[in-house]
Amino acid sequence: MSEHKPVEGRILTLPFMFLGVLGVIGLYFLGVRFADGLGAVANINSGYPWGVWVVYDVVIGTALACGGYALAFVIYVFNKGQYHPLIRPAILASLFGYALGGFGAFFDMGRYWQFYNILMPSNWNFNSVMLEVGLCVMAYILVLVIEFAPALLERMGATGALRWLNKVLFLIIALGLLLPTMHQSSLGSLLIIMGAKVHPLWQSLQLQPLLALLTALTMGFSIVIFEASFSAIGFKRRSETPLLASLGKVIIGLLAVYLVVRLAELVLRGKLGLAFAGDLAGNMFLLEMALFIFPLWVLLSPARRNSGRLLLFAAVSLLFAGALYRFNAFLIGYNPGPGYSYFPSVPELMVTVGIVAIEIMAYLVFVKKLPVLHSAEHA
Amino acid sequence: MNDERNFEQLEKRLGVSRRDFMKFCTGVAATMGLTTSEAMAMANAVASPKARPPVIWLHGQECTGCTESLLRSEHPTIETLILDLISLDYHETLAAAAGHQVEAAKQASMKANKGKYLLVIEGATPVKDGGIYCKIGGKTMLDHVKEAAEGAAAIVAIGSCASWGGIPSSGINPTEAKGAPAILTDKTVVTIPGCPPNPYNFLSTVLHFVTFGKLPALDHLNRPKFAYGRLIHENCERRPHFDAGRFALEFGDEGHQLGYCLYKLGCKGPETYANCPAIEFGDVGGGAWPVGVGHPCFGCTEQGIGFTKAIHELADVKTHAPPNAFPYVDDRQGTSNSTPGAAALVGGVIGAAVGATAMAARKLGKSEEAGDGDNRG
Amino acid sequence: MKRRDFLKATAGGATAALCGIGTAEARENKEPLENAIGILYDATLCVGCKACVRACKEINGLPPSIMGEDVQYDAARDVSGDTYNVIKVYKNGTSEQKDREVDGFSFAKKSCMHCVDPACVSACPVTALDKNPQTGIVQYNPDTCIGCRNCMVACPYNIPQYEYNDPRGQIQKCQFCNQAGVERISQGLLPGCAEVCPTGATLFGTRRELLEEAKRRLAAKPGEAYTYARGRASDGLHTHDKEAPEYRQHVYGERELGGTQVMHIAGVPLQKLGLPELPERSYASIAEGVQHTLYKGMIAPAIALAGLAFVVKRNTSKADQDDPQSKNSRRPEPNNDRGEP
């Protein structure tokens, strides 16, 4: 009854088992973290309390999981139904991405056993950006579960529940649009309070939420292109390039606004010169900008946009750009003062790698067992 | 042997056992950081009567504390020794004669021993109004000092008053009291500051002079380095308490009873140079020196500190040892730098993502060429 | 909505946001509390005896930080989960003279500044850190803390410290010796560091009187005798006299990010003593301004949700009937997944 179908096929492929090994290594170090404390695994320290776990798993991980959000915006707000085939895998990827983010935040928490405290209204500090992020991300994970529920319900054949769900789904979808808008912007706002510790090239103060939101959206669209491209190859499905190319047009607008705001802020506050200082921060800024501008160059021309290869390059470039923007703001351009240094340890990185591996494994299982990907004959 | 006979005579003369005498000489040598053979040389010098130099001992503005401390040394032989070691031709307190008689004896000795006698000055010299505020035998101290210094082989200022003015010079200094070095600016005046100085420091200096015919190594204030080369604070028995941050906060409080550092009570140990922590005060023995008995160091040897700074005023802590006991401002705990493994891993992950993209793009390109017709327009 | 409209809307929003720099509803810096207590650290008085470090460890029950095999006594290099307060040194060249920038040295103290408008308090999602309404002490409650370490990231002085090597670690920071179980301020006692300081380099008092004292010291003529209080700024009894040094004309903590209750003065530039150069406007006020502009009373999100719900409802039901634009419109069953993602 649905246009979505399981891909079927073997689960235990060679890549799957390789990912499994990475996952086991990651889980082992995670065990060490819970047994001996954060310091036993991670290199985070007095000057750099947030390492790759927060910055990659939470800040970047959730931005990479904005596919469902970005696509839902196009489909439901701008009423572009033609993108509908892409939404269910995007929602699934978002769910896993956010689950990873939530889990990452949990095991990075120094006092995880008191995690419930953030749910107690008596504790809430409404001045805290972190509170907004925490509650909002949790709520959104719940929303994503509900949004994905039809896939499960279809598989189970629970038509009654499905019908009931469809009645209230509009509200859930609206929430699924609102919540990421809130917390993706707030993830940027987290930088404001860090003040002078964030390099001026990334400390845009009041503009932080807007810049974070815009890049989250571009990353969302890019991840949709990325996933669809990889699905097309991995599962030997029809390429959806034309559909994706038109998504690219949306990205142009977002990207243009982002670049204008970002550069205007730097120029107006007289910080642009720092980009050419020749130091690590300046060079990272230039690299980041190149990664933002290259996709714009690809997408502006219809010919380039319609090449699946270039489109994928553009998408990946944007993903790297968004990720680097966050890495730069939170880690590379974050300077707590002289004497402090941070570089993730191998175990710390292996936890992140392992968790991502598990995420991909779960995605593969779901896609193969549940009606997620759009059936090929829709064209 | 000749030496042996000398020692036998010495035993008789001083009424000390040879063993005690050798102990004394070794102790004096050790105070100055000299070797055993040099101690032997000193012992021989003392034992041979020919070496006794004549001494002229002047008293200016003083309390005779320096003399008293020398005479009341714990070791019963010392005052005998000092009197035996030197020929004390003039000393107001100890001279048997008095009045014009003793002044005449002084003049005679100075004339007879010109260029050979040792001049010891105790007490400050006032210079205001021509020095009229201190007169001996109708002559000002100023003149006495200048006159005696003319023919002296060496000049020693004993006590803080003679060294830099001491009590008479502190505060408003109504008589413009000065130390001997300020009067005898063209001569080397060895100073043995202290109020009173430990007699060992004086004796050791004199013995050194007698034995080797020259003065021991001196610092920039002409103080013998062996006695004034070290800061009290650096050698204090209470120093571990300072390092550990344990202070007596008030006299009689718990920290005071427990023997904590006396810095907060105004101890001047951190800016006072003297060997009190090693040889203690006044040769009394038994751990008896100000800091040892719970009183902050007064800084009596130091110009500008003793009699000048009030007890409750805090010393400037001039040196810190070990100097690296303090972390630098930028020192951090537990920071981490990249290891090759971690850096390789980061590179690998980025490389894998880029590689996968490149591979996917190639496949995508191929499938697009192959199935162009299939695609929706 | 057309793409052009979308772009227009986005661009419009961005322009509005750009214009919004500075005009967004922003709160002012918080004002110092009436009876805020504080500490004045005068680096020129500090003799580096570390009495404050020892007293702090003893009173707060902190273990010594032993640095390797060679140093078997407490030798903390910086604040950490084991150390709230540490005396550090600035050295230059030959380090000949105290309180001189070139070829000199100076001591420095690192401990919680107890900001007037603390970023850590603003950042903490669960109010585990808060500012005492009477004393202004920035206090910590481990029972609500979730360990997110946002306070550490937010603190401009890197003061709150998480115990990384404890599987059940918590945040550690100076609480003015007034945390539950210690409560020295409540009992009318001095904080440990100020009580034991032999020179009054760490001086306790109300922020107001300390600020006055600091300015008096800065105004004192170098070389002239100055009477320094010890323990409490108002203590006229336990004083000592000393020649006033040449102070830098800067009370660190008077204005930095809205001010701090622990203030520093020194004979060398305070930036050399590990105190960062900071603007007067607190980052907490900017962050909260942005946050409250967006979320005040949850009105804006509620309106947005209503709008979105309306649009989604309209779009999904229109598609359910028949939307020629939609590729999926030809699907027969109306109950199906137009609304289903």
Side-chain angles (χ1 to χ4, degrees), chain C residues 263-328:
Chain C
M263 293 169 288
H264 293 234
I265 53 176
V268 303
L270 287 122
Q271 277 68 41
K272 304 277 182 196
L273 303 183
L275 295 164
E277 226 173 319
L278 293 169
E280 289 187 21
R281 177 86 190 273
S282 80
Y283 294 115
S285 71
I286 300 173
E288 289 177 23
V290 169
Q291 203 64 356
H292 291 306
T293 306
L294 297 174
Y295 296 109
K296 186 149 204 179
M298 291 305 278
I299 295 166
I303 294 170
L305 182 63
L308 284 168
F310 172 75
V311 173
V312 171
K313 178 85 178 154
R314 195 195 58 186
N315 286 346
T316 50
S317 48
K318 219 181 357 182
D320 277 346
Q321 286 146 23
D322 195 352
D323 183 353
Q325 285 181 311
S326 168
K327 293 279 172 210
N328 293 356

Side-chain angles (χ1 to χ4, degrees), chain A residues 239-252:
Chain A
S239 159
E240 312 212 48
T241 302
L243 197 53
L244 300 177
S246 47
L247 268 188
K249 288 192 279 185
V250 182
I251 299 179
I252 298 175

Side-chain angles (χ1 to χ4, degrees), chain B residues 323-324 326-332, chain C residues 77 88-91:
Chain B
N324 52 1
F326 297 95
Y328 287 103
V329 166
D330 296 344
D331 258 7
R332 310 295 177 200
Chain C
R77 288 161 60 203
K88 303 183 125 191
V89 72
Y90 156 79
K91 281 185 187 176

Side-chain angles (χ1 to χ4, degrees), chain B residues 267-301:
Chain B
C267 181
K268 306 296 186 292
E271 48 190 353
T272 301
Y273 288 86
N275 52 358
C276 306
I279 66 167
E280 299 171 347
F281 181 76
D283 197 29
V284 178
W289 66 294
V291 171
V293 299
H295 192 283
C297 166
F298 178 67
C300 67
T301 64

